[in-house]
Amino acid sequence: MRVQIFKNAPGRVPRSKIIDLAARIGRGEKKQKTRANIVFIDDPTIRKLNTRFRHINKSTDVLSFNLGDGKDEDDLLGEVYISLETAFRDAADDGIGFDEAILKLCCHGLLHLHGYDHMKPAQAEKMRKREEQYLRRGER
């Protein structure tokens, strides 16, 4: 899986780590030739998206939008929106580094594009295990 990264909010993001993570996920999910956009935004923007598409009038950390099915080569699978402000706060609250927080959110969002969900306990456990698998591989 290839990603295109857009940054519409101040702050740096670990671009090369994100690209490596997306490639691992693409290989693992058997959709290497698909694409996804990852868009880094601020809290007011993600709040607007969350209100419009999920009817929840508050900021969140990550939103994913499926746009394709990944069956065609070079298909745009979807877009992942991440609030840099929320990620920064959550990293501090969780006692982890900012890069680690960003990679977790990218992984979470990209897995949603591959059909994973966490609405039911069994789904949440399956998704959590996949997240851990892909994030752990990048530690080497």
Side-chain angles (χ1 to χ4, degrees):
M1 167 180 271
R2 292 168 291 134
V3 292
Q4 192 164 9
I5 299 169
F6 300 91
K7 200 165 73 59
N8 297 325
R12 95 179 154 72
V13 296
R15 288 177 183 269
S16 62
K17 292 179 182 179
I18 294 168
I19 291 166
D20 290 344
L21 173 65
R24 284 194 307 276
I25 293 171
R27 285 189 303 272
E29 300 302 318
K30 310 291 190 260
K31 291 186 179 178
Q32 288 176 258
K33 295 186 179 183
T34 57
R35 298 179 299 119
N37 293 330
I38 299 177
V39 185
F40 292 96
I41 55 180
D42 59 15
D43 275 354
T45 305
I46 207 160
R47 181 180 189 149
K48 287 177 188 173
L49 290 171
N50 205 24
T51 301
R52 180 174 179 193
F53 293 102
R54 296 181 62 224
H55 309 291
I56 300 172
N57 188 17
K58 68 177 190 172
S59 294
T60 189
D61 50 5
V62 60
L63 292 171
S64 299
F65 298 95
N66 287 75
L67 301 173
D69 58 15
K71 291 180 182 176
D72 297 323
E73 185 172 317
D74 205 37
D75 188 20
L76 180 61
L77 199 56
E79 295 185 324
V80 176
Y81 290 82
I82 296 172
S83 169
L84 285 176
E85 292 173 274
T86 301
F88 185 78
R89 282 193 309 273
D90 289 351
D93 291 347
D94 295 341
I96 61 174
F98 181 70
D99 284 7
E100 183 181 350
I102 291 295
L103 291 173
K104 283 183 175 186
L105 293 173
C106 287
C107 186
H108 187 86
L110 291 171
L111 286 178
H112 273 305
L113 297 184
H114 286 284
Y116 290 85
D117 207 344
H118 46 79
M119 297 303 287
K120 297 178 182 174
Q123 294 173 327
E125 182 63 16
K126 182 178 180 181
M127 187 172 186
R128 185 191 61 75
K129 285 182 179 181
R130 290 302 267 183
E131 286 174 352
E132 287 178 1
Q133 174 189 351
Y134 290 124
L135 292 168
R136 188 172 45 249
R137 283 188 195 166
E139 292 175 357
R140 295 181 188 156

